[in-house]
Amino acid sequence: MGLHGHSLRQQLLLWLVIPLALLLVAGTLFSYWVALRSATITYDRALLDPALALAEHVDSEGGNTVLDLPKVAQDVLRIDSYDRIYFSVSRLNGELLAGQPEMPPPPPVVPVGHRTFYDGTVNAERVRIAALYVPQPNGPVVIQVAETMVKRNRLTREILIGETIPDLMVATMAMVLVWFGILRSLAPLERLRSEIAQRSARDLRPLDGSYAPTEVRPLVATLNDLLGDLRDALDAQQRFTANAAHQLRTPLAGLQTQVELALRQQASEPMLRSLHQLRSATVRAAHLANQLLALSRAEPGGHRPDALRALDLRSVAQDAASIWVPRALVKELDLGFELEAAPIVGDARLLRDLLDNLIENAIRYTPAGGSITVRTAIEADNAVLSVVDDGPGIPADQREQVFQRFYRVPGAIGDGSGLGLAIVQEITNVHAARVTIDDGPARRGTLIRVYFAKVPPGSGRVAARSPGPVSPVPQ
Ligand SMILES: Nc1ncnc2c1ncn2[C@@H]1O[C@H](COP(=O)(O)OP(=O)(O)OP(=O)(O)O)[C@@H](O)[C@H]1O
Ligand SMILES: [Mg+2]
């Protein structure tokens, strides 16, 4: 019955409900049959008593068979609190000697044991009849006693109800128990589902299947094998990028040196133009190789998860200042630092890559005369690193795309590779942090903030292994 794709719960219930219902019906039919039989046997026996009593009074006087019983006594025999009772005394040929004429004629053959019971109708009412055959000198007479079915039906009904209600209760109870059983047994599957659902694409650690029932373990094991294969494939890819970028750097550095040297030689105008172009192409290629390397460092497999240490964002920013302030000056930009203590658990190397990319962007895209501020601070439960400039800003509808690899806002100046913010994103992931882009103050420029989980002082190493998710972050 095409149960594929049904829920396990539905299947189990179906397999239970249908057989249980069939059992219940069969049980009820059987109970009915038993009830009917015992009611019939019990009351038939009782019905024979008045017949036997009447037989005592059948008399044959001079070839004439009569019922020698006063009318009052006959009426007493017919008294019953539930049913109407009829009787008749007749010959085998149906000739009525005494009693009610409505009584159906008796079977004309004398049965074994001289008594028999059968169903019939009197005055259009169903009755049960007991017939007693009494031998007499001038041929046997039949005494019939009939009674309506009120008592019998009532007893049948009572037995039936008495049997069926406990059955129904047991069946209902079984269903309820099974329902809860199913819910309970499916709970580990639900837990497994939520464990998988919480994963991001880069979290390929094996699933914890220890709580899963034996039947589900093979599934977990297979999933873990698959996750392992994926991890290996990603690692291989990451290693390849890292190696390629690394290999590229050395020849590019050599090329750059040679171009610089050539530029110092006497050369014709066109030759000089070519050399300048060659130089900027080389710088661009070297930058690309560096960005690729930084990206592969930030990817899972590119860094050691246990390299996360208790550190202060403030010192990361202080280290960066010495390199970036001179470069900002060259472009006539005012690069300022407003640093407060901001302890987190992190990878200093990666955090430096992150900050470098944010400052580099600010310097590249802010026109001369502008100002840039790097801040570290504690806000509520987060340690926040922010870089704000008063340059052209990033259009609101581009603020998600700029995090994609190789994406640059159309018309962006300079010749970046479009990897900077992808690197930033990757590094925030490593730290379970969150990055947001907003307008700068006075609705100009770009404000980029990275929210980290704040670390209470003195709890560094313990938390370092598992930087929990960032607590509620303002949008
Ligand atoms: N501070 C900023 N002001 C204005 N636009 C910015 C700023 N930072 C980033 N952008 C925009 O976002 C785009 C993506 O930035 P991203 O750093 O990822 O790449 P890139 O700077 O172009 O290249 P790369 O950083 O790899 O050299 C940039 O091309 C630029 O258009
Ligand atoms: Mg950039």
Side-chain angles (χ1 to χ4, degrees):
M1 52 177 129
L3 284 175
H4 297 279
H6 278 225
S7 90
L8 218 52
R9 223 169 289 173
Q10 276 172 356
Q11 281 209 37
L12 288 173
L13 272 183
L14 266 184
W15 276 105
L16 191 79
V17 170
I18 292 175
L20 259 184
L22 290 178
L23 264 178
L24 207 65
V25 170
T28 306
L29 287 178
F30 182 71
S31 303
Y32 180 72
W33 178 76
V34 169
L36 197 62
R37 215 176 101 89
S38 29
T40 304
I41 290 175
T42 315
Y43 286 121
D44 279 357
R45 218 171 280 148
L47 194 54
L48 201 59
D49 290 343
L52 288 168
L54 284 169
E56 299 284 313
H57 300 276
V58 174
D59 244 341
S60 294
E61 317 170 324
N64 228 359
T65 307
V66 291
L67 180 64
D68 177 20
L69 195 63
K71 180 83 170 77
V72 189
Q74 291 184 17
D75 286 345
V76 168
L77 279 179
R78 296 184 57 195
I79 288 177
D80 187 279
S81 30
Y82 296 104
D83 284 294
R84 254 183 303 289
I85 295 188
Y86 307 90
F87 74 89
S88 70
V89 180
S90 51
R91 293 195 185 283
L92 280 193
N93 60 13
E95 183 196 334
L96 185 71
L97 300 175
Q100 279 76 41
E102 305 92 330
M103 191 70 92
V109 187
V110 181
V112 198
H114 293 256
R115 58 191 64 177
T116 182
F117 303 92
Y118 49 93
D119 294 335
T121 45
V122 171
N123 294 337
E125 254 186 313
R126 285 195 57 229
V127 291
R128 181 74 176 168
I129 304 169
L132 183 66
Y133 292 75
V134 186
Q136 288 295 314
N138 46 357
V141 295
V142 191
I143 301 171
Q144 284 172 285
V145 182
E147 73 177 354
T148 48
M149 310 281 271
V150 179
K151 274 195 299 284
R152 293 163 190 262
N153 289 343
R154 194 176 162 129
L155 185 62
T156 311
R157 207 162 46 237
E158 271 166 12
I159 297 180
L160 196 60
I161 290 175
E163 303 263 323
T164 312
I165 285 191
D167 282 1
L168 257 177
M169 271 162 40
V170 167
T172 316
M173 210 48 209
M175 303 272 294
V176 170
L177 286 179
V178 167
W179 176 255
F180 279 108
I182 292 174
L183 282 189
R184 260 189 77 97
S185 344
L186 288 185
L189 278 187
E190 178 52 32
R191 186 166 154 197
L192 194 63
R193 189 202 63 78
S194 77
E195 202 192 323
I196 297 176
Q198 277 168 12
R199 294 295 183 89
S200 70
R202 46 196 99 241
D203 186 357
L204 300 176
R205 282 171 304 135
L207 296 164
D208 168 23
S210 55
Y211 54 81
T214 334
E215 291 83 350
V216 181
R217 295 248 176 94
L219 178 66
V220 177
T222 316
L223 266 175
N224 280 341
D225 287 348
L226 181 64
L227 285 174
D229 290 349
L230 266 174
R231 218 161 40 226
D232 292 347
L234 278 184
D235 284 355
Q237 192 209 337
Q238 182 274 331
R239 267 196 308 277
F240 176 79
T241 318
N243 283 336
H246 197 73
Q247 298 288 327
L248 270 174
R249 279 209 312 181
T250 322
L252 282 174
L255 192 56
Q256 218 169 331
T257 318
Q258 295 306 318
V259 175
E260 297 293 344
L261 282 178
L263 273 170
R264 285 188 210 150
Q265 312 294 316
Q266 288 273 314
S268 62
E269 242 340 274
M271 184 65 166
L272 271 180
R273 259 206 311 281
S274 290
L275 282 174
H276 277 293
Q277 271 170 16
L278 188 55
R279 179 169 68 176
S280 72
T282 318
V283 168
R284 211 159 58 225
H287 175 70
L288 175 60
N290 279 332
Q291 291 291 74
L292 281 174
L293 205 57
L295 185 61
S296 75
R297 257 200 307 271
E299 281 180 326
H303 58 95
R304 304 237 325 265
D306 59 6
L308 297 181
R309 301 236 152 12
L311 52 80
D312 199 324
L313 288 174
R314 171 164 61 180
S315 53
V316 175
Q318 276 163 348
D319 291 346
S322 56
I323 300 227
W324 289 107
V325 170
R327 295 194 196 174
L329 277 176
V330 170
K331 226 191 127 178
E332 290 171 39
L333 289 168
D334 171 20
L335 173 58
F337 288 78
E338 295 174 8
L339 306 179
E340 290 169 22
I344 65 160
V345 169
D347 182 325
R349 176 73 206 268
L350 295 182
L351 289 170
R352 180 59 193 274
D353 283 346
L354 180 150
L355 184 57
D356 281 351
N357 270 292
L358 293 183
I359 301 179
E360 187 189 43
N361 280 352
I363 291 179
R364 182 188 286 160
Y365 301 112
T366 309
S371 75
I372 302 167
T373 310
V374 176
R375 285 194 184 88
T376 60
I378 294 289
E379 279 177 28
D381 277 337
N382 296 118
V384 185
L385 170 68
S386 67
V387 177
V388 59
D389 63 55
D390 54 4
I394 300 176
D397 60 350
Q398 307 272 311
R399 286 176 188 171
E400 285 191 14
Q401 277 139 290
V402 288
F403 288 108
Q404 288 167 13
R405 296 175 178 194
F406 299 110
Y407 184 85
R408 307 196 70 218
V409 173
I413 54 164
D415 38 30
S417 47
L419 285 177
L421 289 178
I423 294 168
V424 168
Q425 177 79 77
E426 209 63 57
I427 296 172
T428 54
N429 288 339
V430 171
H431 292 83
R434 217 183 104 100
V435 58
T436 61
I437 301 183
D438 293 284
D439 289 337
R443 312 199 118 252
R444 291 185 50 217
T446 308
L447 166 59
I448 301 197
R449 281 178 290 195
V450 189
Y451 295 89
F452 298 85
K454 172 180 82 172
V455 175
S459 65
R461 275 311 289 164
V462 190
R465 293 239 163 66
S466 55
V470 188
S471 43
V473 159
Q475 279 296 319

